[in-house]
Amino acid sequence: MLLKRLFVITCMLLLAVMVTDLPVHAETIEKRSAMQAYVEAIGPGWNLGNTFEAAGEETSWGNPSTTRAFINQIAAEGYRSIRIPITWKHRMGDAPDYVIQNEFMTRIQDIVDWSLDADLHVIINLHHDTNWILNMETEHDEVVARFNAAWTQIAEHFKDYPDTLMFESLNEPRFSEDWSKDAPEYFEMLDELNVSFHTIVRHSGGHNNKRPLVLSTLTASPTEARLDELASTITKLKDDNLIATFHYYGYYPFSVNLGGSTTFDDKAREDLIQAFDRAYDTFTAQGIPVIVGEFGLLGFDKSLDTVHHGEILKFFEYLTYYAQEKKMPLMLWDNGQHFDRRTLKWVDEDLHQVMKQGLKRRSSNAETDSIYIKKDSEIKDVTIPLNLNGNTFTALIYEEQALVKGTDYELDGDNLIVKSALLQRLVTKQNGINATVTSTFSAGVDWTINVIYYDTPSLTRSQGPEGIFTIPAQFNGDSLATMEAVYTQGGNAGPNDWTPFKEYNRTFYPDYTTGEIKFTDEFWRDVKDGEVQLKLHFWSGEVIPYTITKESGKIVGVSADDAKEKAAEQAADTPADSGNSAAAAVSAQPSGDVPQSEEDNNNSSFLLPVSALLVLAGALIYWRKARRK
């Protein structure tokens, strides 16, 4: 009887809790759904980079002054939102009030007004102010006071603006120069700042009581630990108008062309998938919307050619697709390298179209965008695997004319077979791009394929001090993909010595105009004195060895052909009866195109004692003969 009563009471309590919670739960779901819809509507987004976050003035980092016409053009390009990175400290006065310069606040207001007039959603933030906020552990009170003063003034100034203006607490927050460390105190300090930011804005009046607020993970990284910590803060704040944000610049080695990661391969794709899946599971699936506040490739900071063009297109195509699958709007980081603010034209129209068309449907691409044909080689059919991405192949075009299936090309499942007969017609036998054919599909952008005629690149000897030394190169139509550097005695040479493959443009780069392979000061700083074996990898598949020797800041470089030629010259100059011609040739040659094998080292070590024993034996035989006489 007692058990029955307990069962009935328990059921009644559960029912009461459920009935009590239902209206609140329904209201929460409705609010979260509305905020998710709000966030999805702001994509695609664009960053006004290298402008108001510059350490100096608006034009200090090379961009022109921002105009209303330019903002209108961004909207005309199809963008629905704009993120305005802002650094405030050098526009603020001293303690205790830290007053923001009125002229600067008015300038920011102008940009916000123009953007809203252009029907863009807007995000403003504290951007490179991270550079002083990272001192929070040792300068806690001063950092918090300045941070609070900044947001108090910003919130007050824009409190009557519509909710199409968002505030972002802090860009890529960190508390030391170590971007990878997950220290408990870092999470505690970020939580303190975000809670303070939330309190200031929500109590500042006007529309700020419901304005969408954006909170970033530590360093804007989508690692599990950092996502979880931000989720804890957002849950604690119990505010349905909060948005989480992270940044995505790709799988790091691919993003900067390091470690031999030259293509958007399975590893790079999986890194992307896992990052977005983690953010989705932590936030979106729990009713907390997410904005990818910045995206791109880190190598773009050096040059747009750090990563091969076709691989860039594949990365951006997949990223655009997968972010939409996970309901996360993307905001392109553009510091002036993508959309030219003077000509109002895209630097890479192909890239622009991949992103634009990707909002409607996926584009197709292929394993490669190049067909390399070597000088004097037999021209054969070339098979190129296609990534159709749900589309169908429709035509192969050359000079606006459709080529003939069966004669010029064939399709074998998802493989495009470019026939030898077509290639023979297209090849002019001039080094470089001889022709470009275009694959078209049922949807999305076209995929162009360059037909490139080349010969094996040639490198020649060189010498000079660090900073001036270069490798003279005849590229012969080929293009450099990456470079390995290892010490002859063992170990990887140069920066990032966890890999023999060096970072493109940061440590080395080709100059196709002058015909040289050049090195940066950063490369030489981390190369020790001694002999270094290089391997230059080209997109044709050619791998060319080269040896450099560094001694007290002076560099001498020789190619494999140079070494062989020098050895031959020394052999020719040595008298035939000396008995040492072979030894002379070997000693004159560098230690090899690649590091000497362990077997070779063992053989060398073995030959020395054997030679010594032979000499000793000869001496003993001579001594015995002498005694007999």
Side-chain angles (χ1 to χ4, degrees):
M1 188 70 177
L2 179 61
L3 289 175
K4 287 183 179 180
R5 288 179 179 176
L6 287 173
F7 176 76
V8 171
I9 292 171
T10 301
C11 289
M12 292 176 66
L13 287 172
L14 286 172
L15 181 61
V17 170
M18 290 171 66
V19 170
T20 303
D21 281 355
L22 274 175
V24 177
H25 183 59
E27 183 182 357
T28 299
I29 291 175
E30 184 178 351
K31 287 182 178 179
R32 288 181 175 178
S33 297
M35 186 52 59
Q36 179 63 43
Y38 171 97
V39 164
E40 290 182 46
I42 75 171
W46 185 86
N47 277 270
L48 184 66
N50 282 23
T51 305
F52 293 107
E53 84 277 24
E57 301 304 317
E58 179 180 349
T59 60
S60 295
W61 286 354
N63 284 308
S65 295
T66 308
T67 64
R68 180 190 289 270
F70 175 75
I71 296 296
N72 289 338
Q73 188 59 42
I74 286 297
E77 293 294 323
Y79 286 94
R80 298 176 181 173
S81 59
I82 183 170
R83 182 170 178 259
I84 305 172
I86 308 167
T87 298
W88 298 86
K89 184 183 179 183
H90 61 292
R91 281 98 175 205
M92 299 175 72
D94 297 329
D97 298 323
Y98 303 105
V99 177
I100 297 172
Q101 297 169 5
N102 183 64
E103 181 181 0
F104 183 70
M105 184 71 86
T106 301
R107 177 61 174 157
I108 296 301
Q109 178 183 323
D110 287 342
I111 308 302
V112 171
D113 289 344
W114 296 343
S115 300
L116 294 175
D117 289 345
D119 292 328
L120 294 169
H121 285 68
V122 182
I123 298 176
I124 59 175
N125 70 359
L126 267 62
H127 202 81
H128 289 311
D129 292 288
T130 306
N131 292 335
W132 53 270
I133 289 173
L134 62 78
N135 298 318
M136 184 171 169
E137 188 172 11
T138 56
E139 302 171 13
H140 176 274
D141 292 350
E142 180 182 349
V143 166
V144 172
R146 186 184 293 274
F147 177 86
N148 289 347
W151 275 117
T152 298
Q153 294 172 79
I154 298 167
E156 173 64 26
H157 191 89
F158 291 103
K159 68 181 181 181
D160 294 324
Y161 274 63
D163 65 3
T164 45
L165 170 65
M166 292 164 272
F167 296 158
E168 178 186 4
S169 173
L170 184 61
N171 173 73
E172 297 182 353
R174 59 193 173 92
F175 300 95
S176 74
E177 297 297 344
D178 187 342
W179 287 69
S180 301
K181 187 176 180 181
D182 283 339
E185 58 269 25
Y186 294 173
F187 294 126
E188 291 169 6
M189 288 186 284
L190 179 55
D191 177 78
E192 180 182 352
L193 292 178
N194 280 334
V195 170
S196 183
F197 160 74
H198 180 265
T199 301
I200 289 168
V201 175
R202 288 290 181 253
H203 290 84
S204 57
H207 293 299
N208 286 342
N209 65 332
K210 62 178 181 179
R211 185 177 308 286
L213 303 180
V214 182
L215 304 181
S216 171
T217 63
L218 188 70
T219 72
S221 169
T223 64
E224 190 65 59
R226 298 181 184 194
L227 293 168
D228 288 344
E229 289 291 340
L230 178 59
S232 176
T233 296
I234 291 176
T235 300
K236 176 175 64 177
L237 292 174
K238 297 180 180 179
D239 187 332
D240 295 323
N241 290 331
L242 299 183
I243 301 167
T245 189
F246 71 94
H247 297 170
Y248 190 73
Y249 285 96
Y251 175 57
Y252 182 73
F254 168 70
S255 184
V256 298
N257 195 344
L258 171 67
S261 186
T262 58
T263 63
F264 183 58
D265 58 12
D266 290 342
K267 186 177 289 186
R269 185 178 295 102
E270 188 61 27
D271 182 89
L272 187 158
I273 291 171
Q274 290 182 9
F276 279 79
D277 283 358
R278 286 193 299 269
Y280 180 87
D281 293 342
T282 305
F283 294 115
T284 313
Q286 308 305 319
I288 302 168
V290 177
I291 292 174
V292 183
E294 294 179 16
F295 80 99
L297 289 169
L298 293 174
F300 287 165
D301 287 343
K302 295 293 183 181
S303 171
L304 293 182
D305 65 8
T306 296
V307 179
H308 185 71
H309 185 248
E311 304 306 315
I312 290 172
L313 299 182
K314 286 188 275 187
F315 168 76
F316 274 80
E317 189 282 324
Y318 195 85
L319 177 56
T320 302
Y321 150 72
Y322 206 73
Q324 287 189 106
E325 288 288 297
K326 297 301 176 181
K327 302 178 181 180
M328 300 176 192
L330 296 168
M331 305 196 77
L332 176 68
W333 178 258
D334 189 353
N335 59 21
Q337 80 271 60
H338 292 307
F339 190 65
D340 192 305
R341 302 183 194 179
R342 293 177 173 85
T343 65
L344 301 185
K345 293 182 179 179
W346 289 93
V347 175
D348 186 344
E349 182 61 28
D350 291 339
L351 176 57
H352 170 55
Q353 289 300 324
V354 161
M355 292 187 289
K356 183 177 180 179
Q357 296 298 323
L359 298 173
K360 304 172 185 176
R361 184 170 174 176
R362 294 194 67 181
S363 291
S364 303
N365 47 54
E367 184 178 72
T368 183
D369 63 354
S370 303
I371 296 174
Y372 280 89
I373 298 176
K374 190 170 184 178
K375 179 182 178 181
D376 298 331
S377 65
E378 180 184 358
I379 299 178
K380 300 179 181 180
D381 293 353
V382 175
T383 300
I384 302 176
L386 300 174
N387 304 312
L388 293 173
N389 298 331
N391 303 319
T392 57
F393 181 91
T394 55
L396 189 65
I397 309 294
Y398 174 63
E399 293 186 341
E400 300 183 354
Q401 296 294 318
L403 295 168
V404 180
K405 184 178 181 181
T407 301
D408 299 319
Y409 72 94
E410 289 282 3
L411 285 176
D412 180 12
D414 290 350
N415 293 320
L416 171 65
I417 303 171
V418 182
K419 306 291 283 186
S420 61
L422 172 63
L423 295 174
Q424 288 169 357
R425 296 204 314 271
L426 297 179
V427 168
T428 65
K429 295 191 176 180
Q430 297 294 316
N431 287 341
I433 298 175
N434 283 199
T436 299
V437 294
T438 303
S439 301
T440 62
F441 305 90
S442 57
V445 301
D446 301 336
W447 182 257
T448 58
I449 302 171
N450 293 318
V451 179
I452 302 171
Y453 191 78
Y454 81 101
D455 196 5
T456 302
S458 175
L459 311 179
T460 54
R461 68 181 69 190
S462 180
Q463 62 181 16
E466 295 178 24
I468 296 178
F469 174 84
T470 64
I471 299 176
Q474 292 181 358
F475 293 100
N476 295 333
D478 213 339
S479 299
L480 189 61
T482 186
M483 180 189 78
E484 292 183 79
V486 299
Y487 295 107
T488 299
Q489 299 303 318
N492 299 323
N496 298 114
D497 59 6
W498 55 269
T499 175
F501 291 93
K502 301 297 99 178
E503 185 174 336
Y504 198 100
N505 273 325
R506 187 174 181 180
T507 58
F508 74 98
Y509 58 96
D511 189 328
Y512 297 107
T513 302
T514 62
E516 297 170 290
I517 296 172
K518 298 180 177 180
F519 300 85
T520 66
D521 291 340
E522 185 172 347
F523 176 75
W524 295 120
R525 276 198 301 270
D526 284 348
V527 173
K528 298 178 290 188
D529 280 5
E531 192 173 81
V532 177
Q533 303 293 335
L534 304 180
K535 284 185 182 179
L536 288 304
H537 294 253
F538 291 81
W539 280 107
S540 67
E542 299 274 358
V543 181
I544 311 298
Y546 195 85
T547 302
I548 58 174
T549 303
K550 178 183 178 183
E551 185 176 352
S552 302
K554 295 180 180 179
I555 315 297
V556 175
V558 293
S559 69
D561 290 339
D562 291 330
K564 292 175 183 177
E565 181 181 337
K566 185 175 180 181
E569 290 174 356
Q570 290 188 349
D573 292 340
T574 303
D577 60 350
S578 68
N580 294 320
S581 58
V586 171
S587 63
Q589 187 175 357
S591 56
D593 299 335
V594 296
Q596 194 175 32
S597 69
E598 184 179 349
E599 182 180 354
D600 292 337
N601 285 328
N602 290 338
N603 289 341
S604 299
S605 301
F606 176 72
L607 285 173
L608 287 173
V610 169
S611 300
L613 287 172
L614 288 173
V615 171
L616 180 59
L620 286 171
I621 292 171
Y622 177 81
W623 179 71
R624 286 178 178 176
K625 286 183 178 179
R627 288 193 63 185
R628 288 192 186 120
K629 291 179 180 179

